[in-house]
């Protein structure tokens, strides 16, 4: 049974994640994003960006590993082996660029049990090195409740 005392908590911020050009290019290629600002530094700079621009869904590359680490913490008690993704959203507050150092803070917003399933709502607040907001992600994760 997941520990409901985590609801309302913010976990300590993770280590900064350095956004690399090659990671942006690889991610863009993997999702079929062909925009030149995601692949060509000169095109990105000509468009007014400091470096390559990450596709809007790029935050999953560093927020999901942080979420996974939290879910595998025995103190929380989540059954990761039976988990499915219920929903996910990403709101960018500004584009993510190559060279950004981003810090993610996970917030445990809600945990409910219905119909034999635990439903967990997590929010990740992503900020740059100066603490300015960059992105907010929301995830609904579902796992089977322990049989009675």
């Amino acid at each position: 049974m997941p520990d409901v005392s985590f609801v309302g908590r913010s976990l300590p911020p993770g280590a900064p994640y350095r956004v690399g050009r090659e990671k942006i290019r690889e991610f863009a290629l993997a999702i079929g994003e062909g925009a030149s600002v995601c692949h060509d530094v000169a095109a990105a700079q000509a468009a007014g960006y400091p470096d390559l621009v990450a596709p809007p869904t790029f935050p999953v590359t560093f927020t999901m590993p942080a979420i996974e680490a939290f879910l595998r913490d025995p103190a929380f008690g989540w059954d990761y082996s039976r988990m499915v993704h219920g929903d996910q959203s990403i709101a960018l507050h500004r584009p993510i660029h190559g060279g950004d150092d981003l810090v993610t803070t996970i917030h445990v917003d809600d945990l409910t049990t219905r119909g034999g399933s635990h439903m967990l709502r997590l929010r990740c607040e992503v900020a740059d090195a100066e603490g300015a907001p960059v992105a907010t992600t929301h995830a609904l994760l579902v796992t089977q409740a322990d049989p009675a």
Side-chain angles (χ1 to χ4, degrees), residues 109-120:
D109 286 341
D110 192 34
L111 174 62
T112 58
T113 302
R114 285 186 288 178
S117 295
H118 299 301
M119 292 166 277
L120 177 65

Side-chain angles (χ1 to χ4, degrees), residues 26-103:
E26 289 167 357
F27 187 83
L29 181 64
I31 65 167
E33 174 58 70
S36 62
V37 296
C38 297
H39 298 276
D40 181 347
V41 175
Q45 291 173 337
Y49 299 106
D51 207 300
L52 292 183
V53 178
T57 54
F58 185 80
V60 300
T61 63
F62 56 90
T63 59
M64 287 308 294
I67 288 171
E68 179 182 350
F70 164 64
L71 295 176
R72 290 188 184 276
D73 181 348
F76 181 55
W78 186 257
D79 186 351
Y80 193 85
S81 70
R82 297 192 236 169
M83 184 183 81
V84 296
H85 223 96
D87 191 30
Q88 185 169 14
S89 67
I90 300 168
L92 291 178
H93 307 299
R94 70 146 171 93
I96 293 174
H97 309 113
D100 279 342
D101 286 315
L102 303 176
V103 176

